[in-house]
Amino acid sequence: MYRFKSKTLIQSTIVFGLISSIYLNADTGLDNSINKHQKTFETVALKIWDWAEVGYQEFKSSALLKEELLANGFNIQSGVADIPTAFIAEYSNEGPVIGILGEYDALPGLMQTSSPFKEARNDVIAGHACGHHLFGAASAWAAIAVKEWLVKTNTSGTIRFYGTPAEEGGSGKVYMVRAGLFDDVDAVLHWHPSSSNAANAESSNSNKSAKFRFTGISAHAAGSPHKGRSALDGVEAMNMMVNMMREHIPQESRIHYVITKGGLAPNVIPDLAEVYYYVRHPRREKVQEIFEWVVEAAEGAAIGTQTDVTYEVMHGNYSKLPNQTLQKVMHKNLLSRGGIKYSQAEHEYAKKIHQTLISPGSKIGDQENIRPYSTSHTYGSTDVGDVSWVVPQAGLRTATWVPGTAAHSWQAVSTGGHSIGLKGTKLAAQVLADTAQDLFKNPEIIKSAIFHSEDDDLIADVGISGSPATISIWFKPLSSAWSVNGSGYTNFISPIDNDSSESWKIILESNTAFARIGWHKQDSLVIISQSPVWHANDTWYHCVFVYDAESKL
């Protein structure tokens, strides 16, 4: 297996040259496989859309994907990470290990038909308002196409599909990462339905959620209110205090909630009420800080209303670390494939959807375009973030929805069950397959793909947790002494001298080895331990050190 952990020592010009060479020698060998399986995976996508199974209950959806992958020569591991609906499907011819993520959970509510007008279904309790039915189908579709190419060309490589349940509020990937299921993977590819086509280097917010349950004393609301204590009062008092917090937290933060239980009759003082909270921020330690404040608000609300409160953490996500090396390869492939064109019937359908949107910001026809490459931050969260902290990743978005459509809307559910959604699904499968093929054909790209952004500003401050904190770094020196030309970094001398604390200080002070997590050259680091622990693995070196995270703030 290939496990490369440093890009800081490889000049960006080399990487750009590698990426450029891919397109000089690109082939269309995957297209026959993609086209051959198109009808099958369009049917798979629509079946999963129709079933609309919520997180950790995706039994039919996961079984269908496993069935198709097994039929196409993949080995299946079911129930991984002790999750019944999580699985891994793999074809291996040794070589680098490329993972492709697939999701298939629906969102509670939003039971919409494929009509261009708001029209509820009454046969389900959920809807695919985030398009995960398309996500899972396209990823499995791409994995099969890549497997067939590996077999046909006898190329060394392992393609692995990850069936990941419960992204919506359940964070299934967190448990899969914790179980070590990504430890031997060299790169992970993924995508997401959207209203536009883009493959940008994108970071995301960290997240933590919890359900707060208040208990009180029931009584007749008119006849004996003094004998009761309202659990709903506790929830409302908590919400009021949290809303007052908003003025005093960083503007990048997001807090949102929904009351999930509030009583059943107005003339009964409710003895049970529940509110479900999400807390988000780019830095996970700031999420924890704000979350603890929310807990204090809950406790204060309970005191003030003479009720009791407990809470249950539902899930949490790390921020997503972008990887520009992989991301630029994926962007080039998306550019090569181009956007999505509507038929006349699809155009008429899209016009009806578009008329229902509030401030769409995009027009019909934008789905034909590819957004320019950029670095960006999204204020949403994803458990792909947890994967990104253990293996390099790249993703894309394709226009499976009418331009301007918001995720988690009835319009997204509707279009996801329409041919417009299927066209975006095929584009995603093509780009995922193209990118996996490029990595197998050009393993030097895998070597250069570490958790690092070319633009340090993109993910500055991400990845610092606690004080002191432990960081693990892999790197490979090009020679006994080197520097990054033109960058202003200090030369790094004698990198594997176990006894040289001076050499170790140089690494920290010059910041060279740690550019991958977005620190700036001028940042000061207070060294808690000057005795690094070295482990040699072939010619790559692994060191663990402890530093004072507060010095970064």
Side-chain angles (χ1 to χ4, degrees):
M1 78 88 179
Y2 291 61
R3 193 63 167 137
F4 302 105
K5 289 286 188 176
S6 178
K7 178 174 177 292
T8 55
L9 311 179
I10 299 176
Q11 298 294 330
S12 59
T13 53
I14 297 175
V15 177
F16 294 143
L18 283 170
I19 294 173
S20 300
S21 70
I22 291 171
Y23 299 98
L24 294 173
N25 300 290
D27 62 58
T28 57
L30 295 169
D31 285 343
N32 288 340
S33 289
I34 293 287
N35 293 334
K36 179 176 68 174
H37 295 286
Q38 180 168 347
K39 182 64 176 177
T40 295
F41 280 98
E42 288 180 345
T43 301
V44 166
L46 293 178
K47 283 184 177 181
I48 297 175
W49 180 90
D50 190 57
W51 293 329
E53 297 173 297
V54 296
Y56 295 126
Q57 304 299 312
E58 317 98 322
F59 295 105
K60 291 187 288 186
S61 302
S62 60
L64 179 59
L65 289 168
K66 285 190 289 186
E67 177 184 328
E68 293 298 336
L69 289 157
L70 181 64
N72 283 277
F74 282 72
N75 295 317
I76 308 294
Q77 299 178 56
S78 297
V80 296
D82 295 323
I83 303 172
T85 55
F87 70 95
I88 290 175
E90 177 181 287
Y91 167 79
S92 180
N93 189 27
E94 300 182 341
V97 179
I98 307 299
I100 300 181
L101 304 180
E103 298 173 1
Y104 32 82
D105 60 316
L107 279 159
L110 297 165
M111 296 82 74
Q112 169 68 25
T113 70
S114 59
S115 166
F117 307 103
K118 192 171 184 180
E119 182 180 80
R121 295 173 61 186
N122 57 16
D123 59 333
V124 290
I125 62 169
H128 274 286
C130 213
H132 293 178
H133 63 301
L134 305 177
F135 189 159
S139 294
W141 188 357
I144 290 172
V146 173
K147 176 260 179 181
E148 292 181 348
W149 172 79
L150 289 172
V151 171
K152 181 178 179 180
T153 60
N154 195 29
T155 299
S156 295
T158 297
I159 188 70
R160 186 181 295 168
F161 176 89
Y162 285 87
T164 64
E167 190 276 337
E168 300 289 356
S171 293
K173 296 180 193 66
V174 172
Y175 303 101
M176 298 174 77
V177 170
R178 183 182 299 174
L181 300 179
F182 293 91
D183 287 354
D184 64 339
V185 181
D186 294 295
V188 161
L189 308 177
H190 58 93
W191 77 288
H192 203 283
S194 183
S195 62
S196 61
N197 305 301
N200 295 331
E202 182 183 80
S203 59
S204 67
N205 272 355
S206 300
N207 186 17
K208 186 172 184 177
S209 73
K211 290 183 177 180
F212 293 82
R213 299 185 180 98
F214 287 78
T215 55
I217 302 171
S218 62
H220 195 291
S224 53
H226 59 290
K227 295 183 179 181
R229 296 293 182 268
S230 173
L232 182 58
D233 284 351
V235 165
E236 291 184 309
M238 175 188 175
N239 292 346
M240 180 186 69
M241 285 190 283
V242 172
N243 286 330
M244 293 172 70
M245 283 171 50
R246 297 181 190 276
E247 181 182 0
H248 310 290
I249 60 177
Q251 63 180 359
E252 301 85 4
S253 310
R254 296 290 186 270
I255 303 177
H256 21 271
Y257 62 83
V258 59
I259 298 175
T260 48
K261 295 178 183 177
L264 298 174
N267 62 342
V268 178
I269 292 175
D271 62 355
L272 176 65
E274 180 183 85
V275 60
Y276 191 3
Y277 266 86
Y278 274 36
V279 176
R280 308 183 200 249
H281 187 273
R283 294 171 58 186
R284 66 186 184 277
E285 70 274 18
K286 182 61 69 173
V287 168
Q288 185 61 27
E289 179 183 317
I290 297 170
F291 182 83
E292 289 171 0
W293 195 357
V294 170
V295 171
E296 291 173 348
E299 293 169 345
I303 292 171
T305 58
Q306 293 189 348
T307 57
D308 295 311
V309 65
T310 60
Y311 68 91
E312 178 186 3
V313 173
M314 303 306 294
H315 84 300
N317 299 135
Y318 277 51
S319 56
K320 185 169 65 177
L321 295 178
N323 186 290
Q324 293 223 51
T325 302
L326 295 181
Q327 203 61 61
K328 288 176 180 178
V329 176
M330 186 166 278
H331 176 72
K332 290 283 189 179
N333 283 322
L334 180 58
L335 274 178
S336 177
R337 290 289 181 175
I340 294 167
K341 295 186 181 296
Y342 291 163
S343 67
Q344 184 60 38
E346 289 166 343
H347 185 80
E348 293 302 316
Y349 172 92
K351 282 174 56 180
K352 294 175 183 177
I353 288 282
H354 200 264
Q355 290 169 358
T356 70
L357 304 177
I358 299 174
S359 303
S362 300
K363 64 183 183 301
I364 297 173
D366 287 348
Q367 80 284 348
E368 298 182 11
N369 304 323
I370 307 299
R371 290 193 173 183
Y373 183 82
S374 66
T375 58
S376 61
H377 179 81
T378 175
Y379 289 95
S381 308
T382 172
D383 54 6
V384 175
D386 293 75
V387 176
S388 75
W389 283 76
V390 297
V391 60
Q393 61 79 30
L396 79 152
R397 297 176 182 269
T398 67
T400 59
W401 307 325
V402 174
T405 298
H408 296 197
S409 66
W410 70 261
Q411 294 95 336
V413 182
S414 175
T415 314
H418 189 271
S419 60
I420 287 175
L422 298 178
K423 283 188 171 180
T425 304
K426 181 177 182 179
L427 176 58
Q430 290 171 321
V431 176
L432 289 171
D434 289 343
T435 305
Q437 182 189 61
D438 290 340
L439 300 184
F440 286 127
K441 291 169 68 176
N442 299 272
E444 288 298 314
I445 297 174
I446 297 174
K447 292 181 183 179
S448 68
I450 64 165
F451 307 156
H452 166 246
S453 167
E454 299 283 351
D455 179 357
D456 288 348
D457 287 330
L458 176 64
I459 53 171
D461 297 340
V462 174
I464 297 171
S465 178
S467 180
T470 301
I471 288 294
S472 172
I473 298 293
W474 288 80
F475 66 94
K476 179 179 180 180
L478 296 179
S479 64
S480 61
W482 58 265
S483 63
V484 181
N485 294 332
S487 70
Y489 290 118
T490 305
N491 285 356
F492 173 25
I493 308 298
S494 303
I496 58 172
D497 183 351
N498 291 332
D499 300 320
S500 175
S501 61
E502 289 303 313
S503 292
W504 184 232
K505 284 182 181 179
I506 289 174
I507 304 175
L508 293 175
E509 291 169 358
S510 69
N511 198 30
T512 307
F514 312 117
R516 72 181 180 97
I517 56 176
W519 295 340
H520 299 282
K521 293 188 292 296
Q522 67 269 26
D523 292 336
S524 62
L525 296 173
V526 179
I527 303 171
I528 305 297
S529 171
Q530 294 185 359
S531 300
V533 180
W534 299 96
H535 302 285
N537 178 12
D538 192 15
T539 56
W540 291 79
Y541 296 92
H542 181 207
C543 66
V544 179
F545 74 97
V546 179
Y547 76 100
D548 183 356
E550 295 304 317
S551 67
K552 177 66 184 71
L553 303 179

